Amino acid sequence: MAAAHDQEPTALGVMVSDVADAITRRLLIMTEECIGPPPVSYAWIAYGSQGRRELTLNSDQDNALVLDDRYEPSLHGDYFAAMGEAVCDGLAACGFIHCPGDMMASNPRWRMRQADWCSTFADWITACDPQKARLAGNFFDLRHIHGDHGLVAPLEKTIRALCPKHDSLLAHWVANANSAPPALGIFRRFITDHNGLLDLKRAAIIPLVELARIHCLAAGTDTCGTMQRLVLASGRRWLSSAGAKELGEAFGVTLGLRVRQQRLALMQGKPAGNLVDPATLTAGEQERLRGILGLIALHQRALLQAYPYMTTR
């Protein structure tokens, strides 16, 4: 799917995610030792970039709790509130910062019974609107980290079973993707911020992640990682084998540019981020990046032909 030299940044995301997974499991074990065994079974899940095993050196945390249907807030709420707070604070102390949108297990909104999660997922798919589509775009990248895996399987089954039958969610994702400001303007000039910087995450990485997610779920299958999704979706429904290959190569190249920028920032004592000054790239790198941004726009427009446009306002 991607050239050999593009595998390093993908492997780095897997390694950072594996570290986050291991720390999470250890924190959960330590928390149980401190506050006692759980009153009902639970599953700790990660979603977003950790769910896809694509964490970077400056990622925040995205996690939630799936609780056994015997869970009663009045009886068990304090226990899982303490668990969520302890683990999320522990992850933050280890460098995985709190989610700015508070989409973590420390927030009671993201601690639900299994049946409630399944109902929520079904609602996001069958009665979608722009806000539900944004939430689904994060949570549908879920991955089991610790606890009872049996609590997670029905959620994954709901996603696989309903998404191909209800195109409204996919159409909202397509509309959201096409509503984002382009990063390539007239005469193929980069559109940057007032400091002349281009946000690689918003301009390229997120759109590529979204394209892979849409194609994979539209084909009735799913996995967590972007590269794996492109492999599974290749040659199925809306994505040709050639299209999957070029999107995978674009994802590897873009991740490589971001990893390099983050390394340079850390070596200079600066925080690792997603911003790059296009003027610091070689002529060849600039042309490659222009090609990637153009490729993303091409695939986004193609999906608009497959799904009716839905306003995101």
Side-chain angles (χ1 to χ4, degrees):
M1 180 61 65
H5 65 273
D6 293 336
Q7 297 303 312
E8 181 187 354
T10 305
L12 178 61
V14 171
M15 287 189 289
V16 176
S17 299
D18 286 350
V19 169
D21 292 355
I23 293 173
T24 301
R25 294 187 187 105
R26 183 58 186 153
L27 286 169
L28 284 164
I29 292 170
M30 291 172 62
T31 300
E32 288 187 27
E33 291 173 349
C34 181
I35 65 177
V40 297
S41 59
Y42 72 90
W44 185 280
I45 61 173
Y47 56 94
S49 56
Q50 185 179 355
R52 297 189 306 273
R53 298 181 80 194
E54 294 168 5
L55 280 176
T56 68
L57 301 177
N58 71 328
S59 293
D60 59 355
Q61 38 179 305
D62 295 300
N63 46 58
L65 273 167
V66 183
L67 305 170
D68 187 276
D69 286 343
R70 294 172 297 172
Y71 169 77
E72 293 291 342
S74 59
L75 298 176
H76 314 130
D78 289 347
Y79 179 93
F80 288 106
M83 172 180 281
E85 183 175 352
V87 176
C88 290
D89 286 349
L91 285 168
C94 293
F96 300 98
I97 63 175
H98 289 119
C99 172
D102 201 23
M103 295 177 64
M104 302 176 293
S106 54
N107 183 340
R109 184 181 180 187
W110 308 122
R111 300 192 299 267
M112 286 192 277
R113 301 181 185 93
Q114 179 197 72
D116 296 329
W117 275 112
C118 287
S119 296
T120 297
F121 279 18
D123 177 65
W124 288 350
I125 297 170
T126 62
C128 194
D129 61 32
Q131 177 58 21
K132 292 177 183 177
R134 294 185 184 97
L135 291 171
N138 282 314
F139 277 99
F140 284 12
D141 291 348
L142 70 90
R143 185 167 55 85
H144 172 263
I145 302 298
H146 189 73
D148 185 357
H149 186 271
L151 293 173
V152 180
L155 278 66
E156 298 168 330
K157 183 178 179 180
T158 298
I159 296 170
R160 290 193 302 270
L162 293 183
C163 277
K165 301 175 183 177
H166 298 273
D167 283 349
S168 62
L169 171 61
L170 302 178
H172 276 293
W173 280 343
V174 172
N176 286 346
N178 279 273
S179 68
L184 202 61
I186 192 170
F187 304 125
R188 303 182 78 226
R189 291 178 178 173
F190 294 112
I191 298 177
T192 59
D193 64 16
H194 63 281
N195 292 316
L197 301 177
L198 177 69
D199 190 327
L200 287 173
K201 181 177 180 179
R202 293 188 179 277
I205 294 173
I206 289 178
L208 288 166
V209 166
E210 290 175 338
L211 285 168
R213 183 191 299 120
I214 292 168
H215 282 299
C216 197
L217 293 178
T221 185
D222 193 26
T223 186
C224 289
T226 298
M227 289 292 197
Q228 295 92 329
R229 282 175 166 167
L230 291 170
V231 170
L232 287 177
S234 177
R236 303 180 63 178
R237 202 169 183 187
W238 310 121
L239 185 63
S240 67
S241 298
K245 183 175 185 294
E246 61 187 5
L247 287 174
E249 291 173 349
F251 189 63
V253 170
T254 309
L255 288 182
L257 285 176
R258 179 170 68 173
V259 167
R260 190 180 71 186
Q261 292 302 117
Q262 291 182 341
R263 285 173 176 167
L264 290 173
L266 291 173
M267 290 173 63
Q268 296 169 359
K270 301 176 182 177
N274 300 296
L275 300 177
V276 61
D277 182 353
T280 64
L281 303 178
T282 67
E285 289 170 338
Q286 291 182 28
E287 190 59 25
R288 188 72 185 272
L289 184 54
R290 288 190 182 96
I292 289 171
L293 297 177
L295 176 70
I296 290 169
L298 178 65
H299 278 267
Q300 289 174 338
R301 290 194 298 268
L303 280 174
L304 276 179
Q305 303 302 312
Y307 294 97
Y309 187 81
M310 294 184 177
T311 180
T312 56
R313 294 181 180 178

